[in-house]
Amino acid sequence: MKLPRQLPSLTSALLIIVVVLTSLVLVVGRDVSHRLTLAVCTDTGECGAFPQSPPVCQYHGRDRAVARASFAFAQQQPAETARLVQYGDDSASVVVTTEPDVAEVYTFQRWENAQRWVLDHSSALGDVANAAAGPTGQPVRDGYLQMLQLLQLDHQAAITPESTVRNITDPAGEGSAGAVHTDDQGAVTKLSVIIPDGSATPELRGLMDELGMWGFFSYTVELGADLAPRRLKFEGPAVADWSLDQLRSSHEYITAVARPEEAPNPQTSPETPSILRSYALDLTRTANEALYREIFAMESVGGAAAPLLTAEDRLSHGERRELYTGIADRIRTDAVLVETGHRIIGSGDVTHDLLSETAQGLVLRDAPVQGPSTRLVDARTADLSIASSRFEPLLTCEVEPDSEGDSS
């Protein structure tokens, strides 16, 4: 910290006291500023609420670990160009839109740090804090941040984005959409693709029926160094009248489904939350990696190499049927199944279109999309590599009965 060359005539003891008190006030001031802004946000509703993370049952198992790190407990837009996503393992990400179809993703191990970073860097939330403080010669937030920088206490400003994410159109045929993540070297680290039901082939619709999905089918591939595959997820809105027993019943081949494009959505009634069903495969396991190599091809996406599912437009009906049967077999053998229910915040009437939009926003939660704000209200998991596994709730800490004939 640099002090001016010429100082008022103060004793050394008084000068030390002033410096110490100033530092204490500024450190405490950061927390006070956050608390003030949060209080005003909550009372006025102008920038959303910042919820605590949910209580998660402390059962052990890989399904619990996958679920906690992947489900979005809450997602909201506290500022005009930023979306805050809180995860079940207490981590969080902040998605800052820099261009209409481009965003930067900042990750935090603790959701509290993500909230504070948003408060420190959002001019919109700064306006809320300034209004709460009343008329002053200098805006409270600006002066507060300037003094932090002078004393080199503004360590949060050093955070750099983990990835840049871009929206992509028609990556898997007409009507499909998605997002591609790249690191600071331009290498792809994650790709998500959504294929609407109306654009899917009958064979893909058959796979959706096997997995208990409706509305759209999505896949997400997570990549490590040198494009090494790490994880593959298949997700979609959940059909209510479905059970694990249906998935586990053996079929020689999936059944092609020529579903009418305008068929009503059987997922839920408009009064219930948006339910998302997700299957995750660990691609560091040999059999799962072999499946990945068989069904994905490296293609150019936005100028970078990325894995795309090419079966929809490059294979015959029989070849697709066989390939999707193989996917269903690997899922029922080794996937982690996570099912989450999400309440839509401040949406008014909940329509089927809004439920579909919400589900897509949950899949593309770290992309520059304008999905509704949500809160997790229910979650359950199952490790399908264990033959006798059943759904276990993630929030209520009560194991569900073996009989699953009702719904899932």
Side-chain angles (χ1 to χ4, degrees):
M1 178 178 65
K2 293 184 178 180
L3 295 174
R5 292 178 180 272
Q6 296 181 351
L7 297 171
S9 57
L10 297 172
T11 65
S12 298
L14 180 58
L15 184 59
I16 292 174
I17 292 173
V18 170
V19 172
V20 170
L21 288 177
T22 301
S23 300
L24 288 174
V25 167
L26 287 171
V27 174
V28 175
R30 175 185 287 275
D31 186 60
V32 171
S33 173
H34 295 152
R35 291 176 183 273
L36 172 63
T37 306
L38 289 174
V40 174
C41 284
T42 301
D43 290 342
T44 63
E46 291 190 27
C47 50
F50 292 89
Q52 299 281 335
S53 288
V56 176
C57 301
Q58 297 303 312
Y59 298 136
H60 298 289
R62 68 180 187 129
D63 56 322
R64 322 302 283 181
V66 169
R68 292 188 63 177
S70 62
F71 73 73
F73 160 60
Q75 60 172 351
Q76 59 198 325
Q77 192 167 339
E80 184 176 355
T81 60
R83 185 165 70 259
L84 173 64
V85 184
Q86 295 174 226
Y87 295 95
D89 62 354
D90 290 332
S91 66
S93 62
V94 179
V95 185
V96 180
T97 300
T98 56
E99 299 177 33
D101 290 314
V102 181
E104 294 178 336
V105 181
Y106 298 80
T107 59
F108 302 82
Q109 291 185 342
R110 296 286 302 174
W111 57 269
E112 297 97 331
N113 294 336
Q115 292 175 352
R116 290 168 180 168
W117 188 86
V118 170
L119 294 177
D120 281 355
H121 292 79
S122 168
S123 59
L125 299 192
D127 293 341
V128 175
N130 294 335
T136 59
Q138 181 183 30
V140 171
R141 175 181 177 275
D142 291 346
Y144 149 68
L145 292 179
Q146 286 177 17
M147 295 192 74
L148 286 178
Q149 291 171 353
L150 286 174
L151 294 180
Q152 298 181 350
L153 294 175
D154 191 24
H155 61 281
Q156 299 281 5
I159 294 177
T160 58
E162 180 186 63
S163 63
T164 299
V165 56
R166 292 174 171 81
N167 289 337
I168 51 178
T169 56
D170 299 335
E174 186 177 355
S176 63
V180 59
H181 293 244
T182 55
D183 60 18
D184 56 359
Q185 301 299 314
V188 173
T189 57
K190 185 166 73 170
L191 175 74
S192 297
V193 173
I194 292 176
I195 304 174
D197 178 82
S199 301
T201 62
E203 293 77 26
L204 182 56
R205 291 187 185 129
L207 177 60
M208 292 169 64
D209 277 6
E210 288 277 320
L211 304 181
M213 296 179 182
W214 186 271
F216 67 80
F217 174 87
S218 76
Y219 63 85
T220 296
V221 182
E222 298 176 14
L223 303 170
D226 299 323
L227 300 178
R230 308 299 298 176
R231 180 177 295 170
L232 171 61
K233 286 197 302 181
F234 299 106
E235 297 176 287
V239 174
D241 188 16
W242 179 91
S243 73
L244 274 176
D245 292 334
Q246 291 176 244
L247 176 64
R248 286 181 168 137
S249 60
S250 60
H251 301 285
E252 184 177 0
Y253 288 104
I254 62 170
T255 302
V257 177
R259 183 182 297 126
E261 293 185 12
E262 300 301 323
N265 189 331
Q267 177 195 6
T268 56
S269 68
E271 289 76 21
T272 60
S274 178
I275 303 174
L276 190 70
R277 187 164 287 143
S278 170
Y279 300 87
L281 288 171
D282 181 354
L283 297 183
T284 64
R285 298 192 175 196
T286 303
N288 295 338
E289 182 184 4
L291 173 71
Y292 165 80
R293 302 291 183 190
E294 181 181 359
I295 66 177
F296 284 94
M298 299 303 293
E299 303 282 339
S300 177
V301 177
L308 285 178
L309 180 67
T310 57
E312 284 293 275
D313 57 359
R314 298 187 186 178
L315 297 181
S316 66
H317 294 289
E319 290 171 328
R320 270 198 302 270
R321 186 184 181 193
E322 184 174 351
L323 189 68
Y324 291 154
T325 297
I327 293 176
D329 287 342
R330 284 311 307 160
I331 285 174
R332 67 169 61 95
T333 301
D334 197 52
V336 166
L337 170 56
V338 180
E339 190 176 281
T340 54
H342 303 263
R343 179 168 55 90
I344 305 170
I345 305 300
S347 59
D349 293 336
V350 178
T351 64
H352 290 310
D353 287 343
L354 181 60
L355 288 174
S356 179
E357 179 185 353
T358 301
Q360 292 188 43
L362 289 165
V363 171
L364 301 177
R365 53 186 172 267
D366 49 4
V369 296
Q370 300 297 321
S373 297
T374 61
R375 296 287 186 278
L376 183 78
V377 294
D378 191 23
R380 57 182 185 168
T381 68
D383 185 346
L384 301 184
S385 68
I386 302 173
S388 60
S389 63
R390 293 292 179 179
F391 274 118
E392 292 184 355
L394 198 64
L395 306 182
T396 63
C397 302
E398 297 175 359
V399 178
E400 295 190 4
D402 288 342
S403 176
E404 295 188 357
D406 49 354
S407 65
S408 56

